[in-house]
Amino acid sequence: MRLATAANEAYTAPLAVSELLGCKQCGGGPDHDEELGIRIPRPLGQGPSRFIPEKEILQVGSEDAQMHALFADSFAALGRLDNITLVMVFHPQYLESFLKTQHYLLQMDGPLPLHYRHYIGIMAAARHQCSYLVNLHVNDFLHVGGDPKWLNGLENAPQKLQNLGELNKVLAHRPWLITKEHIEGLLKAEEHSWSLAELVHAVVLLTHYHSLASFTFGCGISPEIHCDGGHTFRPPSVSNYCICDITNGNHSVDEMPVNSAENVSVSDSFFEVEALMEKMRQLQECRDEEEASQEEMASRFEIEKRESMFVFSSDDDEVTPARDVSRHFEDTSYGYKDFSRHGMHVPTFRVQDYCWEDHGYSLVNRLYPDVGQLIDEKFHIAYNLTYNTMAMHKDVDTSMLRRAIWNYIHCMFGIRYDDYDYGEINQLLDRSFKVYIKTVVCTPEKVTKRMYESFWRQFKHSEKVHVNLLLIEARMQAELLYALRAITRYMT
Amino acid sequence: MEKMSRVTTALGGSVLTGRTMHCHLDAPANAISVCRDAAQVVVAGRSIFKIYAIEEEQFVEKLNLRVGRKPSLNLSCADVVWHQMDENLLATAATNGVVVTWNLGRPSRNKQDQLFTEHKRTVNKVCFHPTEAHVLLSGSQDGFMKCFDLRRKDSVSTFSGQSESVRDVQFSIRDYFTFASTFENGNVQLWDIRRPDRCERMFTAHNGPVFCCDWHPEDRGWLATGGRDKMVKVWDMTTHRAKEMHCVQTIASVARVKWRPECRHHLATCSMMVDHNIYVWDVRRPFVPAAMFEEHRDVTTGIAWRHPHDPSFLLSGSKDSSLCQHLFRDASQPVERANPEGLCYGLFGDLAFAAKESLVAAESGRKPYTGDRRHPIFFKRKLDPAEPFAGLASSALSVFETEPGGGGMRWFVDTAERYALAGRPLAELCDHNAKVARELGRNQVAQTWTMLRIIYCSPGLVPTANLNHSVGKGGSCGLPLMNSFNLKDMAPGLGSEARLDRSKGDARSDTVLLDSSATLITNEDNEETEGSDVPADYLLGDVEGEEDELYLLDPEHAHPEEPECVLPQEAFPLRHEIVDTPPGPEHLQDKADSPHVSGSEADVASLAPVDSCFSLLSVSHALYDSRLPPDFFSVLVRDMLHFYAEQGDVQMAVSVLIILGERVRKDIDEQTQEHWYTSYIDLLQRFRLWNVSNEVVKLSTSRAVSCLNQASTTLHVNCSHCKRPMSSRGWVCDRCHRCASMCAVCHHVVKGLFVWCQGCSHGGHLQHIMKWLEGSSHCPAGCGHLCEYS
């Protein structure tokens, strides 16, 4: 089925990326099959994800009725069954909502023309150097009749889209800096100005693709077969692959062996789960006993916020940005800066004053009808999704853990819940997990397989994907909250 | 009785006075509440907690309850409520989940009384029992409601909303033990305070969170709820099932709702986002608010009626850091600014229109409807003393009848249905359409089609029958007509002479644009025509003399009073092939010599306008060879299209545009084309010519138009057994696992085209049903229905 999809895609989009961008290292030139003159692509890598062994992932053909229906919908909507879908299908309930939202955003009635939508998707994904999403949407962009010239960089796109670049940048890396002046600049630019409805559509798209980029890196999604880096034309027997295949896949196929220091024994990691559950139980019980003072609570938030800054992987291995289209959109000078690190004081965002359920939803639904509902459902499903299992344990109430993850991400963005004791985060999330969360949410392009493997070693892959869903939805909500608050402030 | 006496003591003792006023707070307010004496109001927010005295002219800050050096989250209030029995008792709900009570009677500066830290999440609402002094209820984000007895240190009972966040809790004013709670998932629950184990009643009130509710102060069991779905609903809880009695649609999510005292059907609402105004609605008139307060510059977060028995004072707090007192008499009344109008089509195309009298008078004075019969009927509405909208007393009703026959659009429908727009060669299409137009008596249009065919197709193929229609005699001559034109406002002799002079010197085709009316003379001469200057000369004279005879076409039969048609009426300057076809039939020669050119001759298509200043030239060419560049006529055609569109015959413009396609498209700018297309499609849809309109959409080349067909292309199917939507496949229901659409003939599942009778809703495969109906007209399912298919 996947091969069929790829063939279909190549047929419908004759200007495939490989043609457009050329695989320079491997000659770029057609490497014709002697007999028919047709080059047959062969999949590279193993399965949809580089982190998750292929055998763990559901095989197409062995899905149940619900999943099958989802696949059918996805295929009908996109004309393909992409690797993201194949990984997300661990959680069919969420996937359904995700696909519905994405389909609506990209293909249904909306204020922006179709090629703009894909172009914005490209812009957003390129912020995180996510070649996977960029390639997908380059195809779609050309397919809906977008001008190939735009792909040479943002400066070739209409002024209107160029104006969006700044918002894209801030939103992706430091959303707390968005002010109503940003919004005003977009809405009042004479002939290049955005309408409010268009802007909300664009903001939703940007946040959607920022967080989707997080997912792509967080789960190590492999390139699609028809995209650059997703295939090879070499016969399978040839062992030495060309260099561009590796760089385009972000990280080489062969990961470094797991650090010996972190290579803890199985029994250790077994205790890890036990310890986590014990902590949850303790928190549940003794919450009523020791009541922290108000000052204590406030400082816990600050501590967590500050600590989150220093949580960073030590191995900052630089990845060579050799990524075709995305390099045209990159502005590497602007990246994630920790919330209020350099003495620049940004007031804490209080959820009780501006929350998605009450305020964000109303605004989105007013300006871009139905989408508020769809996103709301998606947030709800992601936040409440649980199978009451933890690794090998069953019937566990994981709400506390999920809330800790969600609030930790919002904490990194400076969003505070008055009714949450941030001490819980320290109890429940260990350092390697925090490193992973922080990297996926803030600088997804730096995620490595080692990071993915080093947290929650005993947990199943489906649970790690579940964590990723929480991460991307929390991130999307955080970005949306800041952007929508700025829009609200502009409107009042 | 007791109530009456209380009213008199409350209002009679000290009549409330005041004016519309506001005062600035230091911080945004989240909630307000009024003291029982109607003289004090408490404002609470994240960083504000103050009591203001309401005086005649202004608000005066009386007490700041936010004391202590370090601001505590316990003071970050989400809600505040003042006890309606005890002037000293207040309660606040904090965003960190703490419920605090305050005793103003305490001698110290810190009035904080008790602290309940039982909720795990933000407390959204607190509510005192209306008559019981010590009972406090709270509702929290963690999904629990707790009832506190203020004489005890902890809660008396806990009510679980099954893990859904509680947004509002309100004690019933009439029923001692009852309270209502609203939830984030859209549910409303009714509880008995004595039974914490389960709720008395639960129903879904809104789609999305229910932010607020309020019990009616007098009508037992009336509960108003407001939700994120922008609706306010009034429920009657006295019946067995909660019954929705009224529904008000507002423009933004409803954050608070409060019944107006002493006005049975009025309630005030404010919104949570986007909309800053406070509205007072009459629930019986759910579309236009009865009153509107527009003072706030940011969303209103708290509203309260100042006194439970005085309907004219409303207090409000807002995110814009201000506290307002609104007087009802100062409210703006949107209904005053509205122009009530009604418009309705009758069964036979009559149009009824009702509007305010003054408006109608002005309107008819400006623009008389001369062609229509009018029956203005004036009536007065009965005045209802209890009705606040009595201001609009009278309106005028006008009925416009369509004149039988006149102005009918039959021709439009016929034309639309019969025109062929694609699928055949251009020449055939033109011929077909010309035929259609002629049969409908639209000769001018027919003529245009014919000319288009001549212009764009090679002439040898033109059947004579089509060319000679204007004369009415077909086929006596095989000479095709090449072009026609008139010489407007020009001495005919002069014009033709000038032309002929030129043509003598020029053996090739030659064109002269004679005047600004874009009348085009195409003169295609060859040597043979040289000798024809004399006939042409007297032809002109003759034609003038024989106008009446020549008046063969009346393009405007339906509208004789219309100013004369501005279309360049083209006539054919007559050119006979005298020399060219020497062996030609004899009558041709005769004709050439005869001055009576068009009176009887078959080969002339001529059009003569009524206006005598028009002169007619007719000429026919035997040969049209493609010496003219292909886009030579495009200017003319473009003008023609514009002309038709201007006239309102957008049908013609679009049809020609589609048929000619690339040939003219580039000459007409994209926007105009799009405009024509959309107008035509709109018209077609009004006449319910869905097929034609779809065809037009499909054939259109304009991007914006052709994408019309790509929007909303989903067809939703419901299962015939369980009535649920069938989401995944159209023929099998996921829910009841039955195949929904069975063919009544072969009893198999229909996966493709399904056709069914709208009378008995039985049906099946298209082929099967068609076959069945050949033999029987009864329903194949055996239900006895005489099925009809259109």
Side-chain angles (χ1 to χ4, degrees), chain B residues 216-219 222 258-267 280-284 305 308-312 328 386 388:
Chain B
H216 197 282
E218 278 145 45
D219 276 300
W222 276 30
K258 284 271 182 277
W259 287 101
R260 187 176 173 204
E262 310 289 309
C263 294
R264 189 158 180 255
H265 290 103
H266 282 200
L267 48 80
V280 178
W281 301 87
D282 186 316
V283 289
R284 294 164 302 176
W305 294 94
H309 296 288
D310 186 340
S312 53
F328 208 77

Side-chain angles (χ1 to χ4, degrees), chain A residues 16 36 38 76 99 107 125-126 164 214 230 256 293 303 310 323 325 344 390 470:
Chain A
L36 291 167
I38 299 165
L99 289 174
Q107 272 143 327
L164 196 65
S214 285
M256 287 175 239
S293 71
I303 290 168
F310 305 113
R323 272 173 223 100
V325 174
M344 187 166 49
M390 263 178 80
L470 270 179

